[in-house]
Every structure is written in structure tokens, then in C-alpha cells.
């Protein structure tokens, strides 16, 4: 075909004014391009099929098709930091930068603003170490990822998996000896840091963040200890109930559910809410070891376990690697090991007392993300009470060695768009530590910036709590994906294309849909229209022709829930097995609702009240058939519920 195409081209080239020869060449050229495109798509489709069940290879092929070839960190660094000299000089420069950043943030003041007895609640029980067995270590190693790089000891996780039967008893014995003698091997305390570009000027080392690579054996030992520590904290309810980070059964989803329901309740009562979103500077890296060990003792980690953590945290070091060059070791004086299993649990125990200094505000925490808000009708009174709590948070942070980032701390006043605030001005000040030392005389501290919209745990929250901004945010992400899906629709098998939809599109739409799905119907319809565009790329032409008259059939054909039904599905699944918000109708006379086992739906004042869970949950359950409503098994409940929702969607 190429020879024939070139031949026609030469014929037309010798007689350019002959339009017929030009038309012959153009037609044949277009035919060649279509054939080549079809064959290339078939080849790429077959290459994905040949990957079989290796998801990593599939993603590599897909990224190559889309042109998403990631440059290695070393290529980026060596390209933009040539002016620093050799690779060794670059790694040394990064090592100095990472150390100086922490030293500049830390404070060395020993003065305490708050009495610790007023906000600390000591655990009445202490943790007891249960010796780990080779079976415990075997399970941990088996579940570890093999894609992580080797640490300073050059031992990879895949190496441990190759000798898992022989190495498990050895690591189990090593772990037990470490805890008994309260020691941690010095050789495992060194981390390798890899600089990763964040944003800004590529030529500044301050615009890179460190990613720590730890020893594989260290990770296994940590996991053995953290598993017992996490069970101890969970079984004895030691961690604050307002903390949702790094705990089994808790996530950003559970936090946002409680957060949005509480906001809707206050708005239903015709109140406004002053919310403060705190930001901390390098919270995990600036923790003072003595304060951390004291907090761990208050949480019940005492005796040998506390001494083990003391040895584990001290005398640690790191080296920065750029290409094949390593910097000289740098000592670590504070913070928890980045990328470790123990780091997050240690942090949770340190900040466990933070919420107790809030005397007036409701608190919501996910690790170091803290939101505190207070509702009311008198702006002056709310402002005074919020200011007290903000001052207490700053004082607590000072006493516990954590630094608040005043520039990134934001304030959002949430209110109904129809409500008139008695005093629309709200001024909350973040006093500096020096200001508290001067007893706030001649204060020149700045106010917390009031914004109309804030990003909290991936959600766009606006001052009218209408979720319009978040829907637009979701739509923008889906539009970017849609163009990529169109490219892949010619090259990827439809079964894999559907998997990509579930992995990428469905995850974006489904993230906290049970919260923002309570917005107005017109906003959710935008997302459903975008879903239809994706589904039209997934199905074949024959199915697409059948659905021309009504594209809603696509959802049932692909067994995918539209956004409006997925929102209901999430609400019902999350409330399955819980009797909260389910109050049966009880009448002395046998009314229809009481006989059918329906639930009471409370009266609400406005559309914010209609979004409350105490109204949404019983309302949705009352719409379900008795067979689904009474299903006890969660997996079967999900299946039956999905079929029922799709059927009702098509029938309407």
C-alpha cells in the first residue's frame, strides 16, 4: 500500500494541475491512513490482552498510549540543578536544605502556656507486649508490596519473599528481643531520602520534598509492633473519637459524613457556622521526642514499650541520594520516621489531647488536618468563643512542639444564602508565640484570612454549603478524563475500558458522593450526562444503536449506577446494620405505616434540613421493599439494592 501511495503521489507531482490525479492520490492516502490506524489499534489492543492479569503492565501500556511518560526524579534534578556542580554536591545541598528547613521551624522555648492536667486524660490501662510468632511475620511479609525500593541495607522486599519460610522465624525472634531489651538495631535507623519536585522554580532545592526509603526489615519489625499497638488503642477506645485518621473503620468518608450532617443540622436551625481550618508546618517532622514519649505514656504505652520507642526514635540519620551519589549522613533530632508504619500511630497519640482544649467548638481531625467550628446567631458572641479556642490551639501547639502555619489557616463563615447576618464581619486573630509571651500587649498579629471557598480533604466547601463548587471541580476532572477515554476507545478492549471507568471515573464521582450528592438535582444531572458520555465509549455500536432513543438504558446495560442512585446506594449501605435514625412508626391504632414497619421522618425547617441523615435515611428505607430492607447480610444487601435502584431508575 505504501508503494502504491507513493506511486500515485509521483504521478500527481509530475502534473500538479491535474485535479483527477490529485483526487486519486488523496483518496488512496486517506485509505492508507485508516488502514494503518486500524492495524495500530489492533496491535495495541492485542498487546494489552497479552498482559493478561498483570495490572502493572496494563497501566504501563495505557500510559504509553496516552503519552503519560513519567520522568524519573533524577532526570528532573540533573536537568535543572546543574549549576550546583556534581551529583555529590547536589545531594549534599539537598541534605542541608532538608535539615535547615526543620531547624528554622522548631522553637526551643520551654515555657508552658497550658496546664497539662486540664486537657490530658491518662489511659487507666497499659499495653502489654505479646511475643510475635513466625506465622505473624509470615503474614506481614506476604502482604507487603514488592515495588518499594531497597533501603540503605540494599535488601528488597522481594528478596525477603523469596526466603519467607526461613527468614520469618529469624525476624520474629529479632522483634521479640528488640522489645524485651528496649533496643532497635542501629543499622536499621538510617533512611535514604529522594527529593521529589513539588511546585515553583525547579532550580530551588526548597521546592523539593523528601521521600524516605526505609529498610525492608525495619518495615516488617515496625508492622509487628504497630499491629499490636493499633489493636490496643482501638480495643480500649483510647484515641479521641473526633480523630478519623489511620484507624480501622474510619476514613475521610466517615469524617465528612459527620461534618456535613452537623453543618446541615445547624443550618436547619437557622444558624450560621464559623469554621476554622488549621494548617500545621511539617507536623510529622517537627515532633519533639520527649513530648511524644510523654504522650505515648499517657495513652498507655509505658514501661518496656515506651523505652523501645525512645531507642527507636533517637540516633536516627538520613542520606540523600541523587542518581548514584549519596550525601554524608545527617542526624535527625526530632520528628517520626517518614514512610514508616509507626510514624502515623505515634502522631495520633501526640495529638490525642488536642481536641480537649477546644471548650466551645466541635472538632474534626484527620491526622494533622483539624477543622473546628461553632454555630450560633450572635456573631459577636460566636467570634469571642472561637477566638478563645483558637488561642488554646495555638498554646497547645506551642507546648507540644508543633507549629501552626498562620498563612495557610483559613476561616469560612457558612450560612444560608437567604440569611442576613446581624454582623457580617468576623475577625479571628492567630497570635504568635511571642505575643503570648508578652501577654498580648501591643499585639500586631494578623487575622485569619476569611475565604468564600476552602478545600478540605479533597472537598470544595463554599460559604453557602451548596456543593456547586465541588460539582464543578468534579466535572473539570471528568472532562480531562473524557478526552483520554476517547483516545483509548479505539485501542483498548471494552472489558478493560470498563475497568478503567470503575478505577478512574467511578472513584472520582463516588468520593464522598454521600455528602455532596445531597445538593440540588440539576447539579447531579450534570454528572449523569457526563457519565453517559463515558458509557457510550464503553459499549459497542450495536448496543449504542439500541439505546439511541433513551440513553438511560446504558446504566442498566453496563450495570453502573448513575450519580443520583449511587448517592442513595452509598447512604443505605453505610447505614446498614445500624439502628441510628431508624425510629419505627408507633401508633395505638394499626395504621398502614405502623403495620408495614415504616420509619418516622422528622419535620425540617428548610432544604438544609432535608439533607440531614435523620431525614434521608428513614426516607430511603421506607422506599425499599421489605425483602431488601430486612436483608441482614451486607454483600447480598448491596447486590439486591443495586438491582432495585437500577430497575426503578429505568421505570421512571
Amino acid at each position: 500500500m505504501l508503494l502504491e501511495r507513493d506511486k500515485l503521489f509521483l504521478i500527481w507531482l509530475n502534473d500538479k494541475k491535474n485535479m483527477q490525479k490529485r483526487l486519486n492520490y488523496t483518496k488512496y492516502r486517506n485509505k492508507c491512513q485508516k488502514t494503518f490506524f486500524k492495524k495500530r489499534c489492533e496491535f495495541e489492543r492485542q498487546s494489552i490482552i497479552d498482559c493478561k492479569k498483570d495490572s502493572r503492565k496494563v497501566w504501563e501500556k495505557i500510559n504509553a498510549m496516552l503519552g503519560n511518560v513519567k520522568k524519573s526524579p533524577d532526570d528532573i534534578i540533573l536537568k535543572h540543578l546543574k549549576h550546583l556542580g556534581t551529583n555529590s554536591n547536589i545531594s549534599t545541598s539537598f541534605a542541608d536544605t532538608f535539615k535547615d528547613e526543620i531547624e528554622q521551624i522548631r522553637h526551643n522555648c520551654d515555657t508552658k502556656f497550658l496546664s497539662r492536667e486540664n486537657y490530658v486524660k491518662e489511659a487507666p490501662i497499659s499495653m502489654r507486649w505479646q511475643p510475635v510468632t513466625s506465622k505473624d511475620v509470615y503474614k506481614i511479609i506476604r502482604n507487603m508490596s514488592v515495588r518499594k525500593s531497597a533501603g540503605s541495607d540494599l535488601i528488597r522486599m522481594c528478596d525477603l519473599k523469596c526466603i519467607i519460610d526461613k527468614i520469618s522465624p529469624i525476624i520474629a525472634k529479632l522483634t521479640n528481643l528488640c522489645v524485651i531489651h528496649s533496643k532497635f538495631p542501629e543499622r536499621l535507623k538510617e533512611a535514604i531520602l529522594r527529593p521529589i519536585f513539588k511546585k515553583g522554580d525547579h532550580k530551588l532545592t526548597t521546592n523539593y520534598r523528601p521521600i524516605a526509603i526505609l529498610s525492608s526489615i525495619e518495615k516488617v519489625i515496625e508492622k509487628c509492633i504497630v499491629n499490636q499497638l493499633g489493636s490496643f488503642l482501638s480495643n480500649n477506645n483510647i484515641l479521641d473519637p473526633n480523630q478519623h485518621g489511620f484507624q480501622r473503620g474510619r476514613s475521610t468518608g466517615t469524617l465528612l459524613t459527620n461534618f456535613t450532617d452537623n453543618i446541615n443540622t445547624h443550618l436547619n436551625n437557622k444558624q450560621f457556622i464559623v469554621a476554622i481550618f488549621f494548617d500545621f508546618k511539617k507536623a510529622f517532622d517537627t515532633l519533639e521526642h520527649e513530648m511524644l514519649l510523654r504522650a505515648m505514656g499517657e495513652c498507655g504505652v509505658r514501661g518496656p514499650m515506651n523505652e523501645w520507642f525512645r531507642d527507636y526514635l533517637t540516633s536516627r540519620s538520613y542520606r540523600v541520594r541523587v542518581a548514584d551519589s549519596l550525601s554524608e549522613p545527617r542526624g535527625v533530632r526530632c520528628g517520626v520516621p517518614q514512610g514508616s508504619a509507626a510514624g502515623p500511630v505515634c502522631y495520633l497519640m501526640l495529638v490525642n489531647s488536642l481536641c480537649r482544649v477546644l471548650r466551645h467548638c466541635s472538632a474534626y481531625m484527620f491526622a494533622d488536618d483539624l477543622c473546628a467550628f461553632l454555630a450560633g446567631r450572635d456573631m459577636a458572641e460566636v467570634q469571642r468563643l472561637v477566638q478563645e479556642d483558637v488561642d488554646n490551639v495555638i498554646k497547645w501547639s506551642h507546648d507540644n512542639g508543633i507549629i501552626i502555619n498562620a498563612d495557610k489557616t483559613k476561616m469560612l463563615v457558612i450560612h444560608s444564602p437567604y440569611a442576613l447576618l446581624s454582623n457580617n464581619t468576623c475577625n479571628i486573630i492567630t497570635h504568635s508565640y511571642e505575643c503570648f509571651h508578652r501577654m498580648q500587649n501591643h499585639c500586631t498579629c494578623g487575622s485569619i484570612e476569611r475565604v468564600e471557598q476552602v478545600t478540605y480533604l479533597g472537598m470544595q466547601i463554599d460559604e453557602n454549603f451548596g456543593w456547586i463548587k465541588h460539582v464543578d471541580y468534579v466535572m473539570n476532572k471528568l472532562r480531562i478524563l473524557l478526552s483520554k477515554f476517547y483516545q483509548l476507545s479505539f485501542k483498548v478492549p471494552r472489558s478493560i475500558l470498563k475497568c478503567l471507568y470503575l478505577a478512574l471515573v467511578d472513584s472520582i464521582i463516588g468520593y464522598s458522593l454521600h455528602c455532596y450528592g445531597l445538593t440540588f438535582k440539576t447539579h447531579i444531572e450534570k454528572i449523569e450526562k457526563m457519565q453517559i458520555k463515558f458509557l457510550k465509549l464503553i459499549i459497542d455500536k450495536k448496543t449504542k444503536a439500541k439505546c439511541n432513543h433513551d440513553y438511560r438504558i446504558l446504566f442498566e446495560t453496563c450495570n453502573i449506577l448513575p450519580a443520583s442512585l449511587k448517592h442513595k446506594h452509598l447512604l443505605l449501605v453505610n447505614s446498614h446494620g445500624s439502628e441510628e435514625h431508624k425510629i419505627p412508626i408507633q401508633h395505638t391504632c394499626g395504621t398502614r405505616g405502623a403495620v408495614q414497619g415504616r420509619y418516622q421522618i422528622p419535620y425540617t425547617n428548610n432544604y438544609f434540613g432535608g439533607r440531614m441523615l435523620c431525614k434521608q435515611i428513614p426516607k430511603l428505607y421506607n422506599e425499599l421493599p421489605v425483602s431488601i430492607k430486612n436483608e441482614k447480610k451486607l454483600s447480598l444487601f448491596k447486590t439486591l439494592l443495586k438491582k432495585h435502584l437500577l430497575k426503578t431508575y429505568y421505570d421512571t
Side-chain angles (χ1 to χ4, degrees):
M1 293 183 71
L2 292 176
L3 294 175
E4 184 64 22
R5 182 198 62 182
D6 295 341
K7 181 180 177 181
L8 292 174
F9 176 71
L10 291 174
I11 292 173
W12 169 60
L13 196 63
N14 292 330
D15 190 4
K16 285 188 175 183
K17 294 183 180 181
N18 192 322
M19 299 304 296
Q20 184 60 42
K21 293 180 180 179
R22 178 184 176 181
L23 184 61
N24 293 338
Y25 164 70
T26 305
K27 285 183 177 180
Y28 200 81
R29 181 200 61 189
N30 294 342
K31 180 181 177 181
C32 290
Q33 289 178 346
K34 289 181 181 179
T35 304
F36 297 153
F37 178 76
K38 183 178 178 180
K39 293 296 182 183
R40 185 167 63 250
C41 292
E42 290 177 358
F43 172 78
E44 292 175 341
R45 185 181 293 110
Q46 187 60 43
S47 66
I48 290 180
I49 294 174
D50 292 340
C51 294
K52 296 182 180 179
K53 295 183 179 180
D54 192 333
S55 58
R56 185 177 185 180
K57 290 183 178 179
V58 171
W59 279 108
E60 287 177 355
K61 292 285 184 182
I62 290 172
N63 285 324
M65 293 176 189
L66 296 174
N68 299 334
V69 180
K70 290 185 178 180
K71 294 183 179 179
S72 69
D74 290 331
D75 292 340
I76 296 174
I77 292 171
L78 297 178
K79 178 181 178 182
H80 295 94
L81 297 175
K82 293 179 180 178
H83 60 281
L84 295 178
T86 63
N87 295 351
S88 179
N89 293 339
I90 295 174
S91 61
T92 301
S93 178
F94 274 116
D96 294 336
T97 299
F98 295 149
K99 185 174 183 178
D100 293 342
E101 285 180 342
I102 303 301
E103 294 298 328
Q104 292 171 5
I105 293 175
R106 294 177 63 207
H107 70 84
N108 298 316
C109 178
D110 295 329
T111 304
K112 304 300 179 186
F113 292 128
L114 299 175
S115 175
R116 198 167 183 85
E117 290 74 18
N118 293 336
Y119 63 85
V120 170
K121 181 181 178 182
E122 291 202 20
I125 188 172
S126 297
M127 176 185 173
R128 290 188 177 182
W129 172 255
Q130 300 296 328
V132 295
T133 64
S134 58
K135 289 183 178 180
D136 299 328
V137 176
Y138 183 92
K139 291 179 181 178
I140 291 173
I141 296 177
R142 186 183 60 188
N143 294 330
M144 287 284 191
S145 173
V146 297
R147 300 177 184 176
K148 304 297 182 181
S149 301
S152 58
D153 56 5
L154 302 180
I155 299 175
R156 301 170 299 175
M157 191 60 67
C158 59
D159 299 330
L160 296 181
K161 291 199 175 193
C162 291
I163 54 172
I164 187 170
D165 294 322
K166 295 182 178 179
I167 200 67
S168 296
I170 298 173
I171 296 181
K173 185 176 181 180
L174 175 61
T175 304
N176 292 325
L177 288 173
C178 286
V179 176
I180 291 171
H181 297 286
S182 300
K183 294 291 182 181
F184 190 73
E186 295 291 332
R187 186 69 179 85
L188 301 180
K189 291 185 179 181
E190 184 180 73
I192 301 295
L193 298 188
R194 297 280 284 154
I196 304 297
F197 177 71
K198 294 188 295 184
K199 59 181 179 179
D201 189 355
H202 285 79
K203 295 182 179 180
L204 299 178
T205 54
T206 53
N207 291 333
Y208 293 77
R209 60 185 174 92
I211 298 296
I213 302 174
L214 304 177
S215 165
S216 298
I217 296 178
E218 176 185 1
K219 290 180 181 179
V220 176
I221 296 175
E222 283 179 359
K223 197 68 177 175
C224 293
I225 293 173
V226 169
N227 284 347
Q228 291 195 30
L229 180 57
S231 299
F232 167 76
L233 296 173
S234 176
N235 295 338
N236 296 283
N237 298 318
I238 292 174
L239 295 181
D240 193 286
N242 296 314
Q243 176 63 260
H244 291 257
F246 307 116
Q247 299 178 70
R248 183 174 296 177
R250 287 175 169 256
S251 63
T252 56
T254 58
L255 185 150
L256 291 170
T257 298
N258 297 337
F259 175 81
T260 54
D261 192 49
N262 206 347
I263 295 290
N264 284 322
T265 302
H266 291 306
L267 293 175
N268 178 61
N269 295 331
K270 301 180 181 180
Q271 297 175 315
F272 63 87
I273 301 98
V274 176
I276 308 296
F277 298 87
F278 292 93
D279 186 83
F280 298 97
K281 293 181 179 178
K282 295 187 177 292
F284 283 75
D285 298 328
T286 57
L287 300 184
E288 295 292 340
H289 291 162
E290 289 301 322
M291 293 303 304
L292 175 57
L293 293 169
R294 182 177 179 180
M296 294 175 73
E298 294 164 347
C299 290
V301 183
R302 308 181 179 105
M305 281 302 302
N306 195 283
E307 291 301 317
W308 180 87
F309 273 103
R310 179 183 296 277
D311 189 76
Y312 168 78
L313 292 169
T314 54
S315 302
R316 299 193 71 92
S317 63
Y318 69 85
R319 291 192 291 172
V320 177
R321 187 176 75 195
V322 175
D324 296 329
S325 297
L326 285 169
S327 68
E328 292 297 320
R330 298 288 192 277
V332 178
R333 296 172 53 192
C334 59
V336 291
Q338 196 183 80
S340 64
V345 182
C346 291
Y347 182 82
L348 292 186
M349 288 187 282
L350 177 72
V351 300
N352 194 44
S353 59
L354 173 55
C355 293
R356 296 193 185 97
V357 303
L358 297 171
R359 304 300 181 187
H360 312 289
C361 296
S362 300
Y364 295 90
M365 288 192 71
F366 188 87
D368 58 339
D369 284 312
L370 170 63
C371 173
F373 70 74
L374 182 64
R377 296 183 181 179
D378 184 355
M379 178 64 81
E381 179 64 13
V382 170
Q383 178 178 330
R384 183 183 69 82
L385 297 176
V386 171
Q387 183 67 66
E388 287 184 14
D389 280 351
V390 170
D391 291 346
N392 286 336
V393 171
I394 297 173
K395 292 176 181 178
W396 181 95
S397 302
H398 172 276
D399 294 353
N400 290 272
I402 299 178
I403 312 299
I404 285 184
N405 191 343
D407 295 333
K408 292 186 178 181
T409 298
K410 305 297 180 183
M411 176 178 64
L412 186 68
V413 179
I414 305 173
H415 58 88
S416 169
Y418 306 107
L420 297 176
L421 301 182
S422 57
N423 183 4
N424 197 28
T425 59
C426 186
N427 186 33
I428 307 296
I429 299 173
T430 49
H431 295 288
S432 64
Y433 299 151
E434 293 78 10
C435 184
F436 283 116
H437 282 295
R438 296 193 304 265
M439 303 300 292
Q440 298 184 8
N441 294 325
H442 307 292
C443 176
T444 58
C445 302
S447 302
I448 298 178
E449 181 186 359
R450 178 178 174 180
V451 294
E452 297 180 354
Q453 172 189 340
V454 68
T455 302
Y456 183 55
L457 299 177
M459 299 287 287
Q460 307 295 317
I461 302 172
D462 60 86
E463 61 181 0
N464 291 330
F465 215 60
W467 300 112
I468 301 173
K469 301 291 185 182
H470 185 73
V471 171
D472 292 339
Y473 170 73
V474 171
M475 289 293 291
N476 289 334
K477 296 180 75 172
L478 293 178
R479 289 188 189 100
I480 296 172
L481 274 177
L482 184 61
S483 62
K484 296 181 178 180
F485 259 73
Y486 180 77
Q487 298 177 41
L488 293 174
S489 63
F490 299 101
K491 309 173 183 179
V492 176
R494 303 201 180 278
S495 58
I496 294 180
L497 205 60
K498 184 177 179 180
C499 292
L500 291 176
Y501 173 89
L502 296 174
L504 301 176
V505 181
D506 200 58
S507 60
I508 293 174
I509 296 173
Y511 179 72
S512 294
L513 179 59
H514 56 287
C515 299
Y516 79 88
L518 296 167
T519 187
F520 299 106
K521 184 178 178 181
T522 52
H523 302 321
I524 298 299
E525 285 176 351
K526 295 179 185 177
I527 298 178
E528 289 188 2
K529 290 178 181 178
M530 185 63 72
Q531 281 183 287
I532 290 174
K533 293 181 179 179
F534 279 101
L535 297 182
K536 287 164 69 175
L537 297 175
I538 294 175
I539 61 174
D540 53 34
K541 292 182 179 179
K542 186 181 291 185
T543 307
K544 186 176 178 181
K546 292 180 181 178
C547 303
N548 271 335
H549 63 286
D550 187 0
Y551 281 119
R552 293 186 304 170
I553 306 174
L554 289 175
F555 292 106
E556 189 173 14
T557 304
C558 299
N559 196 28
I560 290 173
L561 290 170
S564 58
L565 296 187
K566 189 175 179 64
H567 156 248
K568 296 180 180 180
H569 187 268
L570 290 171
L571 284 178
L572 291 169
V573 168
N574 291 341
S575 62
H576 182 265
S578 172
E579 296 303 318
E580 189 179 8
H581 308 310
K582 300 175 186 176
I583 304 174
I585 297 175
Q586 295 180 354
H587 290 155
T588 53
C589 55
T591 60
R592 185 183 302 173
V595 172
Q596 293 178 352
R598 297 170 68 85
Y599 299 111
Q600 294 182 14
I601 301 177
Y603 173 79
T604 56
N605 296 322
N606 48 41
Y607 64 87
F608 291 109
R611 298 174 180 179
M612 295 189 302
L613 294 181
C614 63
K615 181 164 185 175
Q616 284 288 321
I617 298 300
K619 180 182 176 182
L620 292 174
Y621 265 92
N622 287 343
E623 296 172 357
L624 293 179
V626 178
S627 58
I628 300 177
K629 188 189 304 184
N630 296 334
E631 179 56 52
K632 301 298 182 183
K633 194 174 181 181
L634 180 59
S635 58
L636 186 57
F637 176 79
K638 287 182 179 180
T639 304
L640 295 175
L641 177 62
K642 187 174 183 179
K643 290 180 180 179
H644 171 73
L645 291 175
L646 283 172
K647 185 177 183 300
T648 55
Y649 180 77
Y650 180 68
D651 290 343
T652 56

